């Protein structure tokens, strides 16, 4: 299972880097979302899949899942959702003002400081 997850994580990172390096601002935002999903899967995979019981400690339970990776992923999902929403609002506002999402045109030049 870890090998399959490693391949999926590698594919997500590869697609994210490809999208981040493109010239369209919307593709950059989608690339950052894919990068965060790849990081979430990486944290989950590094936490291991060994525990079968939920992380509730009662008397007599010896085998349970580690709750730390799950808590980290939940926090990271909320943060990445907020960052993606902020990026989308900023991209929408810049598209309204400049009428383009091409990164080379958004960069500007020395004449229009």
């Amino acid at each position: 299972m870890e090998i399959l997850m490693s391949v999926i994580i590698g594919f997500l990172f590869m697609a994210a880097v490809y999208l981040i390096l493109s010239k369209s601002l919307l593709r950059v935002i989608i690339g950052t979302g894919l990068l965060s999903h790849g990081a979430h899967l990486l944290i989950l995979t590094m936490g291991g899949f060994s525990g079968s019981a939920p992380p509730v400690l009662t008397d007599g339970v010896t085998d349970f899942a580690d709750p730390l990776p799950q808590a980290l992923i939940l926090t990271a999902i909320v943060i990445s959702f907020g960052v993606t929403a902020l990026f989308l609002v900023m991209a929408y506002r810049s598209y309204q003002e400049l009428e383009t999402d091409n990164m080379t045109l958004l960069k500007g030049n020395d004449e229009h400081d």
Side-chain angles (χ1 to χ4, degrees):
M1 186 69 174
E2 284 86 5
I3 293 175
L4 176 66
M5 292 298 283
S6 299
V7 170
I8 293 171
I9 292 167
F11 180 76
L12 284 174
F13 282 157
M14 175 198 63
V17 169
Y18 175 76
L19 289 173
I20 288 173
L21 293 176
S22 67
K23 292 184 179 182
S24 174
L25 188 58
L26 187 60
R27 286 185 180 190
V28 171
I29 294 171
I30 293 171
T32 57
L34 281 179
L35 189 66
S36 68
H37 287 308
H40 300 157
L41 284 177
L42 179 66
I43 293 171
L44 183 65
T45 304
M46 295 304 289
F49 300 117
S50 62
S52 59
V56 177
L57 296 178
T58 59
D59 294 333
V61 176
T62 58
D63 185 28
F64 55 90
D66 187 17
L68 184 63
Q70 297 171 10
L72 288 174
I73 291 170
L74 182 61
T75 306
I77 287 171
V78 171
I79 292 171
S80 67
F81 177 73
V83 169
T84 303
L86 177 71
F87 283 166
L88 284 172
V89 168
M90 290 174 56
Y92 180 70
R93 181 70 179 138
S94 70
Y95 184 78
Q96 279 183 335
E97 287 290 321
L98 304 171
E99 297 177 352
T100 185
D101 70 337
N102 191 345
M103 295 297 283
T104 56
L105 297 176
L106 290 174
K107 183 172 58 174
N109 54 20
D110 293 336
E111 293 178 7
H112 301 291
D113 285 338

